[in-house]
Amino acid sequence: MHKKEIYTAGKELREAEKVLVLIHGRGGSAKEFLSLANQLNTSDFAILAPQATDFTWYPNSFLAPLAQNEPEYSSALEVLEELLEEIKETGIASENIYFAGFSQGACLTLEFVTRNAQKFGGVAAFTGGLIGDKIYTENYSGDFNGTPIFIGTGDPDPHVPVERVEDSAEILREMNANVEVKIYQNRPHTISEYELKIANNFIFN
């Protein structure tokens, strides 16, 4: 189970008009992942980065049957749910709340926003797709109302099959997200400069 541990950068939450929630990947640290915000146009944002207990949001591949990633998986979604509620309690509307994640964090980001679809500021998923041995559409509800969502990935990627990225994008579109997918041939498992550029133009402009 994850204990709540949030690292922050940028503006104070009470003073900010916009918020970016950053979700690190497997083995990553929230503290280090905060530096991603320096490469995005988020200078006037409050930046919040939750830390996964033991540096991992769930133990197995995101393509494993959901039960094999419990109880950590549900606990990770709860951390994000609580964080979203707290941000909203400070008076910041959902359309001023942004999410960005990498790898395991990108999968968790997409899963969380799709379970709670509403008009967000935008979502950048650097190498990720919806979670499960298959896509469980019954878990998804709401309307993205035009939220811009960017998914970038490599082909092939050692962890995230392109097919899952494309299937995930399809569901997001059906829920009224404005989705842009970019697939880079033979790109290593990392966040590339091209992806940061697209995220800035498409989401943080």
Side-chain angles (χ1 to χ4, degrees), residues 169-189:
E170 212 32 63
I171 285 167
L172 298 169
R173 288 188 184 107
E174 282 165 17
M175 295 171 72
N176 291 323
N178 177 10
V179 185
E180 184 158 339
V181 174
K182 276 280 183 267
I183 296 162
Y184 301 90
Q185 294 306 313
N186 301 315
R187 188 216 62 190
H189 190 71

Side-chain angles (χ1 to χ4, degrees), residues 74-130:
S74 293
S75 173
L77 290 168
E78 267 164 40
V79 166
L80 296 182
E81 212 157 294
E82 275 178 32
L83 188 56
L84 181 61
E85 281 315 303
E86 281 170 24
I87 294 167
K88 287 184 168 179
E89 277 165 18
T90 67
I92 294 170
S94 65
E95 62 254 35
N96 291 319
I97 302 171
Y98 296 71
F99 293 86
F102 170 62
S103 193
Q104 191 187 54
C107 297
L108 185 61
T109 298
L110 288 172
E111 184 67 28
F112 175 72
V113 298
T114 312
R115 284 169 176 253
N116 300 279
Q118 51 202 280
K119 171 90 173 138
F120 289 116
V123 179
F126 299 107
T127 313
L130 294 168

